[in-house]
Amino acid sequence: MAHQTVGHPPPGLPDHPHTTAPAPTPTCPVEITLAALSGRWTTLVIRELLRGSRSYSDLRRALPTLSDKVLTDRLSHLTATGVVHRDRHPGWPPRVRYTLTPHGHRLGPVLQALWDWGARDG
Amino acid sequence: MAHQTVGHPPPGLPDHPHTTAPAPTPTCPVEITLAALSGRWTTLVIRELLRGSRSYSDLRRALPTLSDKVLTDRLSHLTATGVVHRDRHPGWPPRVRYTLTPHGHRLGPVLQALWDWGARDG
DNA sequence: CTGAATCCCTGCCGATACTG
DNA sequence: CAGTATCGGCAGGGATTCAG
């Protein structure tokens, strides 16, 4: 996924004058965000982490129907995009804490906006 | 796509106490919105329509790299979800206008929220 | 406990050709 | 002008199994 319309200033959603919209590239801010949220379960993982840091198995328990692979995929993707911070504790058994970064926390309002629209009757 | 966490009150993103998150169903408002925005090009089509109503070929011209099939898919999906209104004029040649519904217009702030997060440095 | 590796299956999207 | 029909490729995601 990716959007682009060349020369779109940050708060400039409704302003693109007539520029043709070219191919989708992950340069468009809207697409960057959608890419960060993309994938099934992603928003649920984020919401879980909005409540505080969690271990791998905490997340497994909170999201029972999601497989190891997918959870791992989501966490690594979220870590790669700077949404989640991964904290590895030394010792045995291995303990890892997943926490939202400040950037990740700022997804709260975004999810809220998504929620609000979806909750309203069409 | 679909989210659900049972008993989530409308403005209640950060409030789910401990309820386990079950299978994804299109009941969760967040998922409803993401479903409405889902699919490549969708947000660009919406943004184009945020500027005013457009004909089919207007959209084709504004989004040059998208195929007939995909544009048709997007428009019918958006129409089905109540985001877009389709206005068929009688006569020849056939003239059709696509316009955002009020509900569709309310996606403006949502896209803005997505834009803002994506535009900010991680 | 916290993952990584593999396999297969499904659904999306792009291209092309054709119709009312 | 405004679509529909069809086909194929490819990536996403689920289940299972193995590893540090």
Side-chain angles (χ1 to χ4, degrees):
Chain A
M1 291 184 197
H3 289 167
Q4 166 145 11
T5 308
V6 187
H8 242 304
L13 246 188
D15 87 38
H16 98 92
H18 197 250
T19 61
T20 56
T25 53
T27 317
C28 171
V30 172
E31 279 309 318
I32 289 172
T33 308
L34 287 177
L37 298 178
S38 79
R40 220 165 142 178
W41 303 106
T42 303
T43 60
L44 285 182
V45 171
I46 293 171
R47 189 183 62 185
E48 199 58 32
L49 291 175
L50 276 171
R51 308 199 69 240
S53 68
R54 294 284 187 272
S55 72
Y56 185 86
S57 32
D58 286 340
L59 294 170
R60 285 299 320 239
R61 269 189 298 277
L63 280 26
T65 59
L66 111 66
S67 72
D68 278 327
K69 180 201 176 186
V70 175
L71 179 54
T72 302
D73 285 353
R74 294 300 170 265
L75 288 172
S76 67
H77 184 224
L78 290 171
T79 302
T81 51
V83 169
V84 164
H85 174 66
R86 201 187 139 147
D87 211 353
R88 176 167 245 130
H89 287 247
W92 192 262
R95 300 221 169 244
V96 179
R97 292 248 109 200
Y98 290 97
T99 314
L100 287 182
T101 65
H103 198 222
H105 265 288
R106 283 179 219 118
L107 281 173
V110 176
L111 293 183
Q112 187 68 56
L114 293 170
W115 181 284
D116 291 343
W117 191 87
R120 175 152 183 174
D121 300 334
Chain B
M1 292 185 193
H3 289 168
Q4 165 145 9
T5 307
V6 186
H8 242 304
L13 246 187
D15 87 38
H16 98 93
H18 199 250
T19 62
T20 55
T25 54
T27 317
C28 170
V30 172
E31 280 308 317
I32 290 173
T33 308
L34 287 177
L37 299 178
S38 78
R40 219 166 146 180
W41 303 105
T42 304
T43 60
L44 285 181
V45 171
I46 294 172
R47 189 183 62 184
E48 199 59 30
L49 292 175
L50 276 171
R51 307 199 68 239
S53 68
R54 295 282 187 270
S55 72
Y56 185 87
S57 33
D58 286 339
L59 294 170
R60 284 300 320 248
R61 270 189 299 278
L63 280 28
T65 59
L66 113 65
S67 72
D68 277 327
K69 180 202 174 182
V70 174
L71 179 54
T72 302
D73 284 353
R74 294 300 170 265
L75 288 172
S76 65
H77 184 224
L78 290 171
T79 302
T81 51
V83 169
V84 164
H85 175 66
R86 198 187 143 146
D87 210 353
R88 175 168 246 131
H89 287 247
W92 192 264
R95 302 224 167 241
V96 180
R97 293 248 108 200
Y98 291 96
T99 314
L100 288 182
T101 64
H103 198 222
H105 265 289
R106 284 179 218 119
L107 281 173
V110 176
L111 293 182
Q112 187 68 56
L114 292 171
W115 180 285
D116 290 343
W117 191 88
R120 174 149 183 175
D121 300 334

